[in-house]
């Protein structure tokens, strides 16, 4: 069974600001967002999408060999079979299709899935 995922937007970062910029067609889905103080963001580790990182099942947490090996499911490692990531973010502001967030451990130009 195969699944196809389509980004709904992208993480955009400057030195001082982090934003989620949604495609305009998803803007109606933001109705009620102004009542929220934080959200969960589902995103894709797109720069790790290769057979080697998808097959890595044990890692040293934080990439530090001094840390004992752990299974990837017990870590926040970017090497995963499905490369899914979930981050909780505070929302300082929202305007139209742009959600300003406090921070996220995703790289700039990372695809947002939900």
């Amino acid at each position: 069974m195969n699944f196809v995922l389509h980004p709904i937007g992208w993480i955009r970062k400057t030195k001082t600001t982090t934003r989620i910029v949604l495609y305009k067609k998803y803007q109606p889905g933001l109705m009620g967002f102004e009542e929220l103080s934080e959200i969960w963001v589902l995103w894709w580790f797109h720069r790790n999408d290769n057979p080697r990182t998808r097959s890595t099942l044990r890692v040293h947490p934080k990439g530090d060999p001094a840390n004992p090996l752990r299974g990837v499911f017990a870590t926040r490692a970017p090497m995963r079979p499905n490369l899914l990531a979930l981050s909780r973010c505070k929302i300082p502001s929202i305007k139209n299709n742009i959600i300003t967030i406090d921070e996220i451990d995703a790289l700039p130009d990372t695809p947002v899935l939900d």
Side-chain angles (χ1 to χ4, degrees), residues 1-5 42-57 72-73 77-86 111 113:
M1 180 182 313
N2 290 319
F3 295 93
V4 177
L5 299 173
L42 189 61
W43 50 279
W44 192 257
F45 283 111
H46 66 296
R47 295 189 188 174
N48 283 354
D49 203 348
N50 63 66
R52 183 185 62 77
T53 56
R54 280 180 171 257
S55 65
T56 301
L57 296 177
V72 295
F73 303 128
M79 285 81 66
R80 319 189 73 75
N82 282 311
L83 306 174
L84 292 169
L86 183 65
L113 300 176

Side-chain angles (χ1 to χ4, degrees), residues 71-110:
V72 295
F73 303 128
T75 72
R76 293 182 48 82
M79 285 81 66
R80 319 189 73 75
N82 282 311
L83 306 174
L84 292 169
L86 183 65
S87 296
R88 186 168 146 182
C89 305
K90 292 188 189 297
I91 309 169
S93 67
I94 178 169
K95 184 173 181 183
N96 300 320
N97 63 315
I98 300 172
I99 307 161
T100 301
I101 56 177
D102 61 337
E103 62 182 5
I104 193 166
D105 50 354
L107 297 172
D109 305 320
T110 293

Side-chain angles (χ1 to χ4, degrees), residues 15-79:
K15 289 184 181 191
T16 59
T17 308
T18 302
R19 294 183 176 99
I20 299 170
V21 179
L22 295 183
Y23 294 127
K24 286 274 193 184
K25 71 180 185 177
Y26 295 113
Q27 186 174 334
L30 296 175
M31 181 184 221
F33 243 61
E34 64 281 352
E35 298 173 21
L36 303 175
S37 61
E38 55 189 31
I39 56 172
W40 288 97
V41 180
L42 189 61
W43 50 279
W44 192 257
F45 283 111
H46 66 296
R47 295 189 188 174
N48 283 354
D49 203 348
N50 63 66
R52 183 185 62 77
T53 56
R54 280 180 171 257
S55 65
T56 301
L57 296 177
R58 292 185 191 155
V59 296
H60 294 281
K62 299 182 180 180
D64 184 350
N67 292 325
L69 276 175
R70 295 189 103 177
V72 295
F73 303 128
T75 72
R76 293 182 48 82
M79 285 81 66

